[in-house]
Every structure is written in structure tokens, then in C-alpha cells.
Amino acid sequence: MKIAKYIVFIFIIQSVCLFSQGRVIDSLKLKLKTAKEDTSKVNTFNMLSAAAGWRVGNYDTASYYANQALKLSQTNKFKKGEADAFSNLGIIAYYLGNYSVSFKAHHSALNIRNEIKDKIGIAESNKNIGSVYYAQAKYPEALKCYLSSLKVREELNDKNGIAGCFGNLGNVYHALDNNTEAFKYDLQALNLFTELGDKNGMANSYTNVGSNYETQGNYPEALKHYSQSLELSRELNDKQGIGICYVNIGNIQLELKNYAEALNSYFSSLNIHEEIDDKQGIATACANIGFAYYSQKNGKEAKKWQQKSLELAKQMGDKWLIQNNYDALTLSDILMGNYKSALDNYQLYIMCRDSIYNEENVRKQTQSEMQYDFDKKELAARAEQDKKDLFAEEEKQKQTIITSSIALGLIIVTVFAFFVFRSLRTTRKQKNIIELQKHEVEKQKTLVEIQKHEIEEKHKEITDSINYAERIQRSFLASDELLNTHLQDYFVLFQPKDVVSGDFYWAEKFVSLSGSDNFIMVTADSTGHGVPGAIMSLLNITSLELAIKDGFTEPYDILNATRKTIIERLKKDGSAEGGKDGMDCSLLMFDFKHLVLKIAAANNSVWIVRNSGTEAIEVLEIKPDKMPVGKHDRQGTSFTQQEVQLQSGDVVYTLTDGFPDQFGGEKGKKFMSKNLRELLASHSHLPMSQQKELLEKTFSNWVGNLEQIDDVTIIGVRI
């Protein structure tokens, strides 16, 4: 566990030369005094905000100049100066760890730059917004912003901007542990900055390349690049860069077990970041100090620094650093024998990790990369095609002139002959055609009548068969009588895509081994829909009934036994690998006497909406096992069982994926589970019958003129 991997430089704003910084600041102050035009004053205020302010850690000074620029530009309706002022304020907030303020300021800058069509400014704002997303561990959003910035930079052939984007893309891939892509972008950034002679960009790129070598375990090369970055940062008087270099050099010393040197570097970094009030740098330095003490088996001192880092990370909303601090605290607690605290911290670490690295993030990351590559290839293809089209058009015009001349002569010769012969042929053919058409019409009329009768008969037979199948399937579902007997307040929304359904809901009452009356309810989505889905649902229901009959009384045992039966019954389906059909479902066992709910679920979540007596509503999501009840590569793994202590007034919702996966709305997108969960939670106080009406109306409006794509089942039970 290495906190320091986070310390790779984010290119917040386009790099500028910082040589002779004192003379630059003096020159700008003199220019401010002598400026006659307000626009010139605004530009000077903005340059002072960077040069005399946030670039050297003087954030109060930076804020003063940026606000002066903002006020004067708004008075004079100078849009570009206003956008630059917002950009400076966003950067200041970023360094102070106030990401919400930074995000808002950069978006204000982006809106103005879009309005005035400032392409360079648009690219810069997208890059800065990406950096705020990166600091909050929102990597797919950061990747999208950086790629948008890179696209504009490449259109403008802005090499400095392209290099900065390469550096930022390298950082995102670092965070996603894609070291191959990270190294590629970091080297491209270093080569470009070196070509441009941009020492500030070179310093930052040396840091990033060094981090790649550190990840590879090549510590001599890593130390070499960190030292080059430190040398340049000192030359530029870049205090933040110096602080970052000390942390990274400390990491190498720690890997080499030179603990005293590592701590010395970490504390040097801490002092510099405290001097410039860089909360991100302070939090990271504290985390590394804690890890250094842990490496020396000093758990008490390690935990002190880790907790300080965690507190700052929470203030900033830095998910990545929060996650790593919980991981570090887990190790320190184990070292000191605090196993309960270690378990608590480890659970918090897992929660943070899952929220950062989930499947949705990977999907968004891939989508952003594909969109960028597609746009780039499409632009090149369009240019090539335009060139081909132009050449083809010129050739076509030449050929048209030649062929037109020849064709005109032929047309004049043939037109006269055509009119002479056409009259004779037309007269002879018309009589024959009329006779043939009359005969054909009579023949077709008779054939159509026969086919119409046959189709109507077949349609009636099929409809009667499907309706009869629907009555058979409905007899297997939980009856209203059974549900009304055991559930006091509930609704069932059951809306098949076709007459018969792959979805089903089934219930059973039995007495447990402890003597308690238990009520089982299953909501399931069988493989397929329509007739195949309905047949599969009957197999699934009979397999559930067999599990109950065989004496299984716990939800997870019932699902295990049901899966075994389904697999055995489908072995001889004729396919090479045996039947892979089955169902996704949630099995709920209610003990209403003791208000206990036991749950085993396969791919289908269960939601419990709880009103604590205040305005706040809590939604408990019972997550399922990620496998179906049927043949699967995890079929040897037992289903898990979860137990919830219910409270009076709780509303338990169980459902299939038909409603959230339905396409519709203005943009033809999926409804999504998140929106359905929020809809149920916000209306859980309504009577259950009204909730059902609300769901039916919402679903109908969402589908609109589109087609329902799957069976829909939602059941709500109020405790």
C-alpha cells in the first residue's frame, strides 16, 4: 500500500515561463499602474493572480487580484477577462481543497468561453474541470474532459497544450492501474515539453515518468527522474513541485528501507505544503509519514498521522486518499492488536474502493476512449473522402461533356424511329394485356380469399393456444387468496411483454424448524419471454416446490436445491454444453411475528424503504449474488443469505429488471434502477394501491410510442 502514487502532477493550467519571477511581478505591477484601458487592467490583474499568487502559494494575494479582475471585467462586459478571472478562482479553490467551489468557477469560465467561441479557453477549462474530477476520484469524468481538451489542442496544433493533456491522461491511467497507457502518455508529454524548452512542464513530466519507473520497481531510474524534477522545481521556485518531489524521493528511500532518510523527505514536504496551505499536499505527506512509521512497526505513531490525513481527505472529498487511509489504518490496527477497529476500517476501505472502481466507471472510461478515437478517425476519413469526391467530380464533368455530345446525336436519330414504331406496338399489346389482366384479377381474388380464411384459422388456433397457456401459467402463480391471507398491505404490478411471461411470482407458507410461521415469496425473471419464457417459468416453479417438499427451510438452501434441479432437468436439451437456462430471482422469507426478513437473491436486488420518523427516508439495498439460478461458472458456489431486522412501517420492494431496463422518454434511454429506486422511495408513504397506479402510469408514459422490451414485475409489501 503506497499512498504516494497519488502524487503525480496535474497540469492545472497552461504552463508559462517562470524565469526571473520577481522581475516579472514588478513589471506587471508597473504595467497595472500605467494602464489606461480597463481591459488592459483586467488582463494584468489576472496575470498577477497567477504570477504573484497561486503559482507561489500566496492564495490570499491570488484571490485579491482575481476578484479585482472579475469585478472590473463584469463592469465593462469584458467576457474574456471575466472567464480568465473565474479560471484563476477555480485554480485557487482547487489548491485549497475546496473542490465544489473550484468546479463551479471552472464551469462559469467554460460557459463564457463557449459563448465567445474561445477555443483555447474551452480546452483549458475542460482540462481544469477534469483535474477537479481527478482529485475526487471521478476518473471516467476526468478522462472525458481531458480527451475533449486534447481534441481541441490537436485541431489548433497547440503543442504545449497537447503535452499538458498527455500528462493528465497519464495521471488518470495511473489511478486506474493501467501502467502501460500511463507510461506512454507520460513519455510523450516529457518529449514534447523538452522539445518546447518548457522547464515547468519538464519538471512535472519528470515526476510522472519517475512514478512509472517506481511502479515497475526500477528505483534507480525513478530516483534519477525525481531528482531532475526537484532540480528544475527549485530553479523555478515552484514550492508545490518541490513538495511533491520530496514525497516521491521519500518513497524510494522507503522502498530501500532507509527509514530516516524517508521520514526526513516526508517532513520536508509537509513543511513546504503547510507553508503554502496546500491541503492536498499536507494530507498526502501525513499519509506517507504514517506509512513510514508503520514500516518501522510503530503502530501508534503511524495511526496518528494516518488519522490526520484521513480528516483532511474527508474535508476535501478526496475519495482515493480516503480509501488508502482506511487501508493504512487497518494495517496499523492489526499491528497494535486492535482487531475490531481493524475490521471496521477494512470494511470502510472496501466500501470506498468499490465506489471508485465499479463496472460503471470502466464502462464510462471505455466509452470516452472510443468516442475520442472515433471522432479523430472520422475527421481524417472525412478529409480524405472530400479530396476523393473533388477529384471524382472534376472527372465526372469532363466525361459528361464528351458523352453528352455523342448522346445528343444518337437521341436525334432514334427519337423519330421510336415514335413511329411505338404507336403500332401499343395498339397490338393493349388488347392482349387487358384480357390477361382480367383473368389474373379473377384468379388472384379467389386465391386471396382462400389465404385469408387459412390465416384467420391459424391465427385463431395460435391465439386460443396462447390464451390457454396463459391460464395454465397463472394457476402456478401466487393466488390473490394466498397473498391476501398472509400480507396485510401490498401490491403486485405484473405486466408481461406478451400474453404469457418469463417473469413470475410465487409464494408458500410453512412452519420452520423453530416453530415460527414463515411466508416465502419469490419474484423471478426466467430466461426468455413469451412462450419459451413461460415454459421456463413452469420448470422454475416446480423446481422451487420440489426444494420445499424435500425439506429445505432456509432461503439459500432452497435456491441451491432449485439450481441443482434445474441443471439436472436441462442436461438433455440437445445442446452441446447442456441447458444454460434458469432464472434471476429474489427469495424472501418473512417471519412477521418477530419482524425478521431472510433473503437469498440471484442477480436481483431487494430494496427496503424505511421512514425513521423524520423527513429523511432511508433506502436499504440488499445486493444479490452475481450469478443466476441455473448453469453458470459459479454453480458450485452456494448462494448467500442475508437477514434484516424489520421495523413497523418498512416497505419491502422486490422486482425484475423489466422496468429499469425499458427504453423510453424523450431521448429513448433506459429508465435505470437509480431512477426507479428514487421514485419508490419518494412515494413509499402512499397507499400501496396508489403506488401501483403511479408505477403503471409512469411506465406507460416512459414507453410512449416505443415497444415494451421485457416482462415487468414489481411487488411492494408494507410491514
Side-chain angles (χ1 to χ4, degrees), residues 22 25 43 54-55 141 169 172 283 296 320 375 389 400 405-406 417 422 426 428 493 512 584 586 589 716:
I25 294 170
N43 290 333
W54 56 264
R55 288 192 184 281
E141 291 85 350
L169 288 168
V172 175
Q296 298 179 75
W320 195 94
D375 289 346
D389 290 345
T400 300
S405 300
I406 297 172
R422 190 183 67 171
T426 301
R428 287 197 302 268
L493 172 61
S512 68
D584 296 336
S586 53
M589 181 181 291

Side-chain angles (χ1 to χ4, degrees), residues 85-328:
F86 274 125
S87 183
N88 276 326
L89 290 170
I91 294 169
I92 295 163
Y94 174 91
Y95 281 133
L96 293 174
N98 196 337
Y99 298 133
S100 60
V101 174
S102 180
F103 188 81
K104 183 177 180 182
H106 284 312
H107 265 286
S108 297
L110 178 60
N111 291 336
I112 295 171
R113 286 164 171 171
N114 278 321
E115 179 185 342
I116 63 177
K117 295 180 172 57
D118 176 9
K119 281 195 171 183
I120 291 179
I122 292 168
E124 203 64 38
S125 290
N126 274 318
K127 183 168 61 173
N128 292 340
I129 292 168
S131 298
V132 178
Y133 277 132
Y134 178 91
Q136 296 174 302
K138 297 178 180 179
Y139 302 129
E141 291 85 350
L143 187 66
K144 183 178 180 181
C145 289
Y146 290 151
L147 289 173
S148 296
S149 179
L150 177 60
K151 183 179 177 182
V152 176
R153 299 292 192 186
E154 289 178 334
E155 289 175 4
L156 299 173
N157 195 28
D158 175 11
K159 290 187 177 181
N160 192 283
I162 292 170
C165 289
F166 282 156
N168 288 331
L169 288 168
N171 294 336
V172 175
Y173 283 113
H174 260 296
L176 293 171
D177 288 330
N178 189 338
N179 298 317
T180 302
E181 285 297 303
F183 200 24
K184 180 185 77 174
Y185 280 115
D186 288 337
L187 284 175
Q188 286 178 312
L190 179 57
N191 292 335
L192 259 180
F193 280 128
T194 303
E195 176 188 334
L196 295 167
D198 184 339
K199 291 191 176 183
N200 190 49
M202 290 167 61
N204 302 327
S205 294
Y206 275 128
T207 294
N208 290 348
V209 173
S211 182
N212 279 286
Y213 280 121
E214 183 181 348
T215 302
Q216 298 169 20
N218 190 341
Y219 301 130
E221 278 298 317
L223 190 59
K224 172 186 171 183
H225 282 78
Y226 289 151
S227 299
Q228 288 173 307
S229 178
L230 179 59
E231 182 180 347
L232 285 170
S233 297
R234 285 171 173 165
E235 181 180 338
L236 298 168
N237 193 27
D238 178 5
K239 292 187 177 180
Q240 189 193 44
I242 295 170
I244 292 172
C245 290
Y246 275 130
V247 165
N248 290 325
I249 290 171
N251 293 339
I252 302 301
Q253 297 294 350
L254 193 63
E255 290 288 352
L256 299 173
K257 303 190 185 307
N258 298 328
Y259 300 122
E261 290 86 344
L263 280 170
N264 184 55
S265 294
Y266 291 148
F267 276 112
S268 295
S269 174
L270 178 62
N271 292 336
I272 289 174
H273 286 300
E274 286 179 337
E275 178 185 339
I276 62 175
D277 194 26
D278 180 358
K279 288 186 172 60
Q280 181 71 56
I282 295 170
T284 306
C286 289
N288 280 283
I289 291 170
F291 191 66
Y293 279 120
Y294 168 79
S295 299
Q296 298 179 75
K297 309 301 182 185
N298 189 341
K300 182 178 180 182
E301 196 67 18
K303 189 168 184 177
K304 180 183 79 172
W305 289 98
Q306 289 157 1
Q307 287 174 329
K308 183 176 180 180
S309 176
L310 177 61
E311 183 180 346
L312 283 169
K314 287 180 177 179
Q315 291 175 14
M316 295 183 293
D318 187 332
K319 293 182 180 179
W320 195 94
L321 199 50
I322 292 171
Q323 167 201 303
N324 279 277
N325 274 304
Y326 278 131
D327 190 15

Side-chain angles (χ1 to χ4, degrees), residues 353-370:
R353 185 196 66 186
D354 291 346
S355 72
I356 295 173
Y357 300 100
N358 53 43
E359 293 177 2
E360 185 67 12
N361 281 351
V362 175
R363 184 190 67 77
K364 288 182 179 178
Q365 173 202 345
T366 304
Q367 185 180 34
S368 294
E369 292 172 335
M370 289 175 65

